Amino acid sequence: MWKFIVRRLVITFPQLILLSVLIFLLAQAMPGDALTGLVDPNIDPATIDEQKEKLGLNKPWYEKYIEWVGGVFQGDLGQSFRYKIPVTDLIEERIVNTFWLSVATLIFTYMIAVPLGMISGRYNDTILDSSITGYTYIGFATPLFIFALVMLWIFGYHLQWFPTGGSVAPELKPGTLEYVLSRIQHLLLPALSIALIQTVSTVQYLRSEIVDTKQKDFIITARAKGASESRVYNRHILRNSLLPIAAFFGYEITTLITGTIFIEQIFSFPGMGQLFIESVLQRDFSVVNAVVLLFGAAAIVGALLSDIILSIVDPRIRIK
């Protein structure tokens, strides 16, 4: 187990290096720079070039990459040209919101997906199964940003059950009960919007596992020995079907990355996804590089976490 983890971590390091290079090159390939749109085009070009030289924008990409990587290893992700503060401070303000949004989304996803998948798999080829499967087909066909806009219009603007933007009501003191309840209320609608779409793949996956497991030889043997149907289902079918779902947990993290980018922008939720979109539009490359690097690292860690969880919960797997 430990050898496997160490080996995967060793592989992860060059992946992160390659990811950082690609991120930096793509950011540099974008048209314009940090001064684009911020200076008067009628200003003398020599003055603009002087400002670029002062900010280091005229340096070759490899020199800027080496400086950036050196800062990353020291915990310095650079300076935001737009917000005029260190990128580390800017990310610290936003990453907490994205973290809690992701946690709430994962909780809702499994609260919805596991019961629906269990029911659909146990009573497959029934009207109940067809209804659940129909929901998953609609979920697969519905773009997340369209579904989020509909949720925002219905439950935010029309029914006014949830706030339509922000992460907490203004003028509330952190640590108070009102503050905590306000944060939860602001989380519910964005998290449900992601979960109701993200859950469909887990429902279909669990249903397929249950249907497939019901046809295994050891299930037929258990029934032949006179075991009750509830015992066969709970002790044999469900237990073996849930193992792949446990491993699937790590890959949910990678799905959340793209989900939060759209959702935070739609709900004006001040998290990493909204920061990423704003930074791309404003050509704040130091922030773009840092955010994408964190997203990429989260995806790699999520894949590693899936392998570790599967090796722990499934006794048939022996990774040495």
Side-chain angles (χ1 to χ4, degrees):
M1 169 65 75
W2 289 109
K3 290 182 180 179
F4 164 74
I5 295 175
V6 172
R7 187 165 62 248
R8 286 297 304 271
L9 289 175
V10 171
I11 296 174
T12 297
F13 185 70
Q15 289 177 330
L16 288 174
I17 294 178
L18 178 60
L19 176 66
S20 68
V21 174
L22 291 175
I23 292 168
F24 200 86
L25 288 177
L26 289 174
Q28 295 299 312
M30 290 177 63
D33 52 39
L35 292 180
T36 302
L38 297 180
V39 296
D40 187 347
N42 297 320
I43 294 179
D44 182 16
T47 304
I48 297 177
D49 290 337
E50 181 181 348
Q51 187 67 18
K52 288 183 178 181
E53 189 70 30
K54 181 180 178 181
L55 296 173
L57 299 177
N58 289 332
K59 293 182 180 179
W61 72 267
Y62 52 86
E63 290 186 13
K64 291 189 284 188
Y65 174 75
I66 292 173
E67 291 179 0
W68 179 65
V69 170
V72 169
F73 279 107
Q74 297 175 11
D76 180 12
L77 298 175
Q79 186 84 5
S80 169
F81 288 104
R82 184 69 176 181
Y83 297 96
K84 309 301 181 184
I85 61 174
V87 176
T88 306
D89 296 342
L90 189 59
I91 288 177
E92 285 178 357
E93 295 176 0
R94 303 292 190 100
I95 198 170
V96 175
N97 290 332
T98 297
F99 172 78
W100 286 116
L101 176 60
S102 301
V103 170
T105 301
L106 286 174
I107 292 173
F108 285 134
T109 297
Y110 282 94
M111 284 177 62
I112 299 169
V114 173
L116 290 182
M118 290 167 55
I119 294 171
S120 184
R122 184 170 186 175
Y123 304 104
N124 62 301
D125 299 328
T126 63
I127 296 178
L128 189 59
D129 173 41
S130 299
S131 302
I132 296 174
T133 304
Y135 156 66
T136 62
Y137 288 161
I138 294 173
F140 280 125
T142 305
L144 176 59
F145 66 93
I146 296 294
F147 182 73
L149 287 171
V150 173
M151 292 283 285
L152 179 63
W153 180 77
I154 295 175
F155 298 103
Y157 290 105
H158 185 64
L159 298 176
Q160 297 183 355
W161 289 357
F162 300 97
T164 57
S167 61
V168 67
E171 300 180 358
L172 291 179
K173 289 186 178 181
T176 62
L177 180 60
E178 291 80 6
Y179 181 87
V180 174
L181 292 176
S182 177
R183 287 188 68 89
I184 294 174
Q185 189 180 22
H186 283 74
L187 276 175
L188 288 178
L189 191 57
L192 280 171
S193 299
I194 304 177
L196 288 172
I197 294 297
Q198 185 168 306
T199 192
V200 296
S201 57
T202 307
V203 171
Q204 284 281 34
Y205 194 59
L206 180 56
R207 177 193 181 277
S208 300
E209 286 293 325
I210 292 175
V211 172
D212 181 63
T213 305
K214 287 197 297 186
Q215 303 172 9
K216 300 290 186 181
D217 291 339
F218 69 92
I219 300 299
I220 298 174
T221 302
R223 288 196 174 104
K225 289 182 177 181
S228 64
E229 189 62 27
S230 61
R231 180 180 177 85
V232 170
Y233 180 76
N234 295 325
R235 294 290 299 274
H236 300 288
I237 297 176
L238 186 59
R239 178 180 292 183
N240 287 278
S241 300
L242 285 175
L243 293 178
I245 298 300
F248 200 60
F249 171 79
Y251 290 102
E252 297 282 3
I253 297 175
T254 60
T255 310
L256 278 174
I257 292 173
T258 55
T260 54
I261 291 176
F262 289 114
I263 291 296
E264 290 179 1
Q265 189 69 16
I266 291 171
F267 287 90
S268 300
F269 192 82
M272 296 285 286
Q274 188 187 54
L275 177 63
F276 171 72
I277 296 295
E278 292 174 351
S279 301
V280 170
L281 296 177
Q282 297 165 357
R283 297 175 177 82
D284 199 347
F285 297 139
S286 56
V287 179
V288 172
N289 292 336
V291 173
V292 177
L293 182 63
L294 288 176
F295 281 162
I300 293 172
V301 171
L304 173 62
L305 185 61
S306 291
D307 292 338
I308 294 174
I309 292 175
L310 184 58
S311 66
I312 292 173
V313 300
D314 193 344
R316 296 170 297 180
I317 295 179
R318 294 289 183 268
I319 302 176
K320 299 181 180 179

